[in-house]
Amino acid sequence: MQYTDYYSRIIAGAMTWGSWGKKLPKNEMIDLMLHCIENGLTTFDHADIYGDYGTESDFGKAYAESGIERSSIQLISKCGIQMTSGRDNRLGHYEYNKEYIIWSAEESLKKLNTEYLDLLLLHRPSPLMEPFEIAEAINHLLESGKIKQFGVSNFTPSQISMLEKAIPVLGNQVEFSLSHDAPIYDGTFDDCIANRRMAMAWSPLGSVYREDNEQTKRIKKTIAILAEKYKVEESQLLLAWILKHPAKVHPVIGTSNKDRIILSAKAMEINLELQDWFTLLASSQGHPVP
């Protein structure tokens, strides 16, 4: 199964749907799911930790009453981060032993009210990862049909290479935006292209609307000009910039605002000219390309 046509090109991130954000009641969560699907966002991104380990349950209760066909959507979740809120841990750490990975995936299935995850990701790399033990857990989940595919999040190419000595890795979800362009220089997206790995970008709008500094001022000035040229909303250009990359990056958008979901979906229609792509890159970096 290739990811190219299986997962929606823009992914709906559910991190802020629950107690970490909007605290959406069940009826509003159902309405938002249906709105996402209507606009082509059929893939929903979760992690066990979201909402202090509670958002998967909120989503699952809504999904169970939504009438949505399971085969019409794709569910992604992540495991491995151990927080002190929501669980009885002395300090934050990571856990990737075989029993824990299997247990965590099964917990996500129960909470999401689904029989399988389309994609399970290891949320962050641990210095104590043992690839063959991880592979035992993942192979068990794959063979039992509890997950369809396996990937990682926030991993370096060398960490993925280590894992792939034991188990194939479908994709890597990393921080990527115009204001955080490291993956196009540190080998992350080179690895995705070379190995036909699914690239996903969390925080795709970056710091442009969160921070007021020299970089974001330059970016805002440039996108204001280009928004007029393309007759689009400014934030759509930030997504169009990501979508043009040959790694075929899937932005994971965090908004629960219906209008912004529509705008995000329409960003896929923007054909950003080559020199405009580099104009945006130069505005972010503060200098012309070498």
Side-chain angles (χ1 to χ4, degrees):
M1 182 192 302
Q2 287 297 320
Y3 68 84
T4 312
D5 300 315
Y6 185 69
Y7 300 95
S8 59
R9 187 62 192 281
I10 293 179
I11 295 172
M15 185 177 77
T16 63
W17 289 23
S19 66
W20 281 6
K22 297 296 183 180
K23 300 182 176 68
L24 295 174
K26 184 163 53 178
N27 63 318
E28 290 185 26
M29 201 171 281
I30 292 171
D31 190 43
L32 190 57
M33 288 180 202
L34 294 170
H35 181 75
C36 287
I37 294 167
E38 287 167 9
N39 286 279
L41 280 67
T42 60
T43 304
F44 296 88
D45 180 78
H46 291 271
D48 57 352
I49 64 170
Y50 293 164
D52 293 336
Y53 302 94
T55 299
E56 285 182 321
S57 291
D58 295 335
F59 185 98
K61 290 170 186 173
Y63 165 68
E65 297 184 19
S66 68
I68 296 168
E69 280 287 332
R70 178 63 181 87
S71 60
S72 69
I73 62 170
Q74 305 80 46
L75 296 177
I76 299 172
S77 198
K78 313 177 193 74
C79 73
I81 296 179
Q82 292 288 330
M83 302 194 310
T84 55
S85 55
R87 284 190 180 163
D88 186 21
N89 292 313
R90 296 194 312 275
L91 78 169
H93 61 286
Y94 308 112
E95 186 166 354
Y96 288 125
N97 64 58
K98 178 181 176 180
E99 293 75 18
Y100 177 77
I101 293 172
I102 293 171
W103 175 85
S104 185
E106 290 174 344
E107 281 293 295
S108 289
L109 295 180
K110 290 175 192 173
K111 291 177 178 179
L112 290 167
N113 272 309
T114 185
E115 294 183 352
Y116 65 93
L117 293 173
D118 296 275
L119 179 59
L120 175 68
L121 307 179
L122 304 186
H123 204 157
R124 286 189 179 273
S126 167
L128 296 179
M129 288 185 298
E130 205 295 306
F132 292 94
E133 181 168 10
I134 289 170
E136 284 186 26
I138 298 305
N139 280 324
H140 170 82
L141 292 168
L142 288 166
E143 290 164 8
S144 61
K146 292 175 180 176
I147 68 172
K148 300 293 186 185
Q149 296 180 318
F150 165 67
V152 296
S153 183
N154 305 300
F155 276 51
T156 66
S158 67
Q159 289 164 337
I160 294 175
S161 178
M162 176 186 71
L163 265 184
E164 286 209 307
K165 298 299 181 186
I167 185 90
V169 177
L170 171 89
N172 192 10
Q173 185 179 126
V174 297
E175 181 180 7
F176 177 58
S177 64
L178 181 58
S179 60
H180 183 86
D181 60 14
I184 61 178
Y185 295 107
D186 65 10
T188 298
F189 288 163
D190 298 342
D191 167 74
C192 289
I193 294 170
N195 294 289
R196 297 176 61 81
R197 216 182 305 286
M198 180 180 175
M200 294 162 276
W202 59 266
S203 193
L205 300 186
S207 61
V208 175
Y209 300 111
R210 291 198 316 263
E211 299 177 16
D212 185 23
N213 53 43
E214 291 306 311
Q215 181 194 42
T216 58
K217 286 176 182 175
R218 291 192 306 267
I219 291 172
K220 287 174 184 175
K221 183 177 178 181
T222 302
I223 61 173
I225 296 168
L226 291 176
E228 180 63 28
K229 173 181 176 178
Y230 288 90
K231 305 301 181 189
V232 296
E233 202 268 344
E234 293 178 4
S235 67
Q236 292 177 291
L237 288 170
L238 297 174
L239 294 177
W241 186 85
I242 290 173
L243 292 166
K244 190 173 179 68
H245 194 276
K248 294 182 169 56
V249 185
H250 294 243
V252 181
I253 63 168
T255 186
S256 57
N257 180 290
K258 287 186 174 182
D259 291 336
R260 303 216 66 78
I261 288 168
I262 293 170
L263 287 171
S264 297
K266 289 184 176 178
M268 291 186 285
E269 301 170 6
I270 300 171
N271 183 19
L272 197 60
E273 293 176 13
L274 180 67
Q275 292 190 49
D276 289 337
W277 191 91
F278 278 100
T279 297
L280 285 165
L281 179 67
S283 73
S284 173
Q285 296 181 343
H287 58 76
V289 296

